[in-house]
Amino acid sequence: MQHPPQIPGFTFVDLVGEGGFADVFRYQQELPTRQVAIKVLRSSGDAASIELFRAEANVMAQLSNHPSIVPIYQAGVSSDGRAFLVMEYCPPPHVAQRYRTRPLAVAEVLDIGVKIASAVETAHRAGILHRDIKPHNILTSTFGVPLLTDFGIASVVGETGAGAQGLSIPWSPPEALSADSHDVRSDVYSLAATLYSLLIGHPPFERRDAPNDNASLMTRIERGQLTPLRRPDVPASLVDVLRRAMSVEVDRRPVSAMVLGRQLQDVQIELRQSPTRLEVMDASPSALVEEHPNDARTLVRPVSVIIPAAVHERPGPLQPGRDEDTRHPDHPGAPGSSGSTGASGHVGHSGPRYPSGRSATGGSAPRHPGPQRATQRRLGVPARIGIGVAGAVLAGAVGYALLAGSPDDARGDAGTLRGEDPPDPEALADAPPAPVVTASGKGARWTFAWAPADPQPNDEFKVLLSGNGVQPTPPEYTEATSKTVTVAPGATVCVRVAVSRKGGEPSALSEQTCVVGR
């Protein structure tokens, strides 16, 4: 731990948390009198990086009055050259402490998911990529409201002073394991992985029967070998939404945090819950002149944000391409609306593009990514603990995330948008065929064997046993392709099997295969 800095107007109380790049201290503010959390970077940066830190902190502070982002009160540089942020103090316990002890209830996870999706969408529309969404970065206010924090300040100062940026491997998308990602769908992946963790009680690729070192986790992430979620109270539609958002292929994920939030609302409606409202502050260039289709489920507030020149020159976030007609999900030409056109049900570009620095009338040309971060996301840096707070990394000038539209809409990957019935998990286009199950044996000893139509390495199978010859048991998840059972004379044992692979949708269950003991 580094020593707490002396900051005029604040009195040190105690240490809240520490990490590889920053420490968080609790201070007593003198005027107004209140307790605050102050996050202090471990390393001091040069003049240029400190200036950029200040500029980006100013931008995000303007958005930190979002109801699901930790408020920023002040930013500055201490007398010893360390940058710091003064934030609202959120007392524990937080979700990171709770989910490891007991997985969270489905209703709470859905509420958290929609609220944090609103915060992420707000950041994306201001040109900010979070890059480190995980349970540890969702705090809880005094009133129990989930708040997103830690937008990765270390990557700002770290480019020239603090060294390479860290990586939280358990919740990182595959593309971020080898290179720095500028795509908003990388944040979508990490948010889905975080929600999956809250439901399963551990990181999504962690297994109790296998090594969980960084190398093993990376292998599973790259192959999409998601640990099965074995909770009967979690609806299949929610599992489908999260698995789709965690697809290995970026183009199969929801195109924005807004779309993921709408899909989570659809699950709330399916469960007969009142949908949590999506509240987005839109700082995109066109926000002040275009109309936003607010409704009972979505509220979009245009806001004006001053973008300093130092921030404007940074690379902007990569977002899936779209035409003006696909900006809103309820537009006549938007995907899923009655007026959509084209073979895939949408109008838009087939590939990604970078948002321009200004509105269409501003005349600014699109910006392209620079190489300065290409080597930052490499192994050798331990999974980082909070190194920033709501909004310290602004990846570029103002941009806006999409409400809908994707080149993969024809496959159903974009999901429902306006409260339609959730898709049947057994009818999705990317689900493999059901395995074929056979039985062999005689007397009391029988062996069931199964194989998918196109076997792949590391296929995982869900095996259901039924009949009066076995005790009722939960499904078994295994990579084995056979199971031997002992069947009492005259008793019946039946088996049904499903297969899943690469984090995709599971297959339908196989036809039931039964044997009778003799």
Side-chain angles (χ1 to χ4, degrees):
M1 182 194 78
Q2 61 182 348
H3 65 277
Q6 301 236 345
I7 302 175
F10 298 88
T11 302
F12 169 74
V13 177
D14 58 16
L15 173 69
V16 175
E18 54 185 320
F21 291 95
D23 293 323
V24 182
F25 304 97
R26 180 162 44 152
Y27 281 74
Q28 184 77 21
Q29 185 174 357
E30 296 174 4
L31 187 66
T33 301
R34 60 183 171 186
Q35 289 194 337
V36 296
I38 299 184
K39 180 160 289 188
V40 184
L41 293 185
R42 283 183 174 272
S43 300
S44 58
D46 59 17
S49 61
I50 290 296
E51 183 59 33
L52 182 57
F53 162 80
R54 284 174 168 164
E56 297 189 351
N58 282 334
V59 173
M60 198 57 207
Q62 296 175 76
L63 300 180
S64 70
N65 58 348
H66 185 279
S68 295
I69 295 177
V70 172
I72 297 177
Y73 301 143
Q74 184 177 330
V77 180
S78 63
S79 58
D80 59 1
R82 288 178 290 165
F84 66 85
L85 285 177
V86 182
M87 309 165 283
E88 176 181 331
Y89 173 66
C90 298
H94 305 299
V95 295
Q97 298 156 324
R98 294 173 51 207
Y99 86 101
R100 287 279 197 174
T101 302
R102 182 186 182 95
L104 275 58
V106 173
E108 183 178 7
V109 172
L110 287 169
D111 180 68
I112 291 173
V114 175
K115 289 177 178 176
I116 300 303
S118 300
V120 175
E121 179 75 10
T122 294
H124 288 173
R125 294 185 182 209
I128 299 169
L129 294 174
H130 189 287
R131 302 175 184 271
D132 196 27
I133 301 172
K134 58 184 177 182
H136 302 76
N137 287 335
I138 300 177
L139 305 181
T140 307
S141 75
T142 306
F143 297 98
V145 178
L147 301 173
L148 184 62
T149 186
D150 195 357
F151 281 69
I153 301 177
S155 67
V156 178
V157 178
E159 285 181 0
T160 56
Q165 182 179 355
L167 180 65
S168 298
I169 291 175
W171 301 274
S172 295
E175 65 272 14
L177 298 179
S178 58
D180 190 32
S181 173
H182 292 268
D183 198 311
V184 297
R185 291 168 292 185
S186 294
D187 274 355
V188 170
Y189 178 105
S190 295
L191 175 54
T194 295
L195 300 179
Y196 200 91
S197 298
L198 304 186
L199 290 170
I200 200 172
H202 55 77
F205 294 92
E206 184 177 285
R207 295 188 176 179
R208 293 185 173 90
D209 59 349
N212 291 305
D213 56 278
N214 285 344
S216 299
L217 290 175
M218 288 179 61
T219 298
R220 293 179 204 136
I221 291 171
E222 291 170 340
R223 295 179 179 176
Q225 295 172 338
L226 189 62
T227 302
L229 180 58
R230 305 171 185 176
R231 281 182 58 176
D233 61 324
V234 178
S237 56
L238 177 54
V239 177
D240 292 338
V241 166
L242 298 180
R243 291 176 73 98
R244 186 184 307 128
M246 295 174 66
S247 295
V248 174
E249 298 179 36
V250 177
D251 288 341
R252 288 179 176 266
R253 301 174 198 161
V255 296
S256 69
M258 171 72 89
V259 172
L260 176 59
R262 297 284 286 191
Q263 292 173 350
L264 295 173
Q265 287 179 325
D266 290 337
V267 178
Q268 290 180 311
I269 293 171
E270 174 196 351
L271 297 177
R272 301 184 183 277
Q273 300 171 3
S274 297
T276 303
R277 198 174 199 184
L278 275 161
E279 297 187 78
V280 175
M281 296 168 56
D282 192 346
S284 65
S286 56
L288 298 178
V289 296
E290 71 180 21
E291 296 181 2
H292 292 275
N294 296 325
D295 55 31
R297 292 173 56 180
T298 309
L299 176 62
V300 180
R301 293 189 179 97
V303 295
S304 179
V305 176
I306 300 172
I307 307 296
V311 172
H312 180 81
E313 298 303 322
R314 294 171 63 83
L318 173 61
Q319 311 199 23
R322 56 105 183 99
D323 286 332
E324 294 301 310
D325 289 344
T326 63
R327 180 173 300 160
H328 304 305
D330 297 317
H331 189 281
S337 70
S338 59
S340 62
T341 61
S344 63
H346 77 99
V347 180
H349 296 287
S350 60
R353 72 180 182 186
Y354 286 83
S356 60
R358 301 182 185 274
S359 64
T361 59
S364 178
R367 291 170 296 113
H368 296 279
Q372 64 266 37
R373 294 193 180 182
T375 61
Q376 288 180 354
R377 286 191 176 256
R378 299 291 184 185
L379 289 182
V381 180
R384 64 172 175 170
I385 299 176
I387 53 172
V389 88
V393 158
L394 179 54
V398 175
Y400 41 83
L402 307 180
L403 297 183
S406 167
D408 298 305
D409 283 350
R411 292 196 305 267
D413 293 333
T416 56
L417 290 177
R418 294 180 302 283
E420 299 91 343
D421 291 335
D424 182 350
E426 297 181 1
L428 292 172
D430 56 355
V436 176
V437 181
T438 59
S440 60
K442 60 181 180 179
R445 188 173 179 81
W446 291 84
T447 297
F448 294 95
W450 50 84
D454 55 338
Q456 300 291 329
N458 305 117
D459 278 348
E460 187 167 51
F461 302 96
K462 173 183 178 181
V463 182
L464 294 173
L465 292 177
S466 61
N468 60 8
V470 293
Q471 294 292 328
T473 57
E476 176 185 348
Y477 294 85
T478 179
E479 293 184 358
T481 56
S482 66
K483 183 175 182 64
T484 299
V485 296
T486 300
V487 188
T492 300
V493 175
C494 301
V495 168
R496 300 183 74 189
V497 180
V499 62
S500 63
R501 61 173 61 115
K502 291 186 178 178
E505 310 301 332
S507 75
L509 285 167
S510 66
E511 295 292 332
Q512 186 166 268
T513 301
C514 302
V515 298
V516 178
R518 300 188 182 90

